[in-house]
Amino acid sequence: LINVEDIIYVRHQVSDLDVMERFLIDFSLLRASRTKTTLYMRGTGEAVYLHVSELGSDGREGANACGCVTRWASRSPFIRD
């Protein structure tokens, strides 16, 4: 088992960054940064960003094109010294 302490940020592939930004603003997220291909959104806490949307057009949206970065509370039992 892996003991996850926190989710650092989630990452999604989307076909329209403007639509995603409006959606996330409705949930009180704020724009941290934006490039032509990537949108970084933050909350009101200390994290620099907590949601990353990347522009993609290969049809992989939603659950098929998402991930998250986590912080583990303890070392993995699979790592050997």
Side-chain angles (χ1 to χ4, degrees), residues 37-68:
T37 60
T38 309
L39 171 66
Y40 299 89
M41 299 292 283
R42 64 181 180 84
T44 57
E46 296 179 9
V48 177
Y49 57 88
L50 50 82
H51 191 282
V52 179
S53 299
E54 293 180 299
L55 193 58
S57 60
D58 64 2
R60 292 178 34 148
E61 292 189 40
N64 293 326
C66 68
C68 66

Side-chain angles (χ1 to χ4, degrees), residues 2 4-5 11-14 17 25-26 32 36 44 62 70:
I2 297 172
V4 174
E5 182 177 285
R11 175 176 234 107
H12 288 273
Q13 181 177 343
V14 298
L17 292 176
I25 287 171
D26 286 345
K36 288 183 179 182
T44 57
T70 59

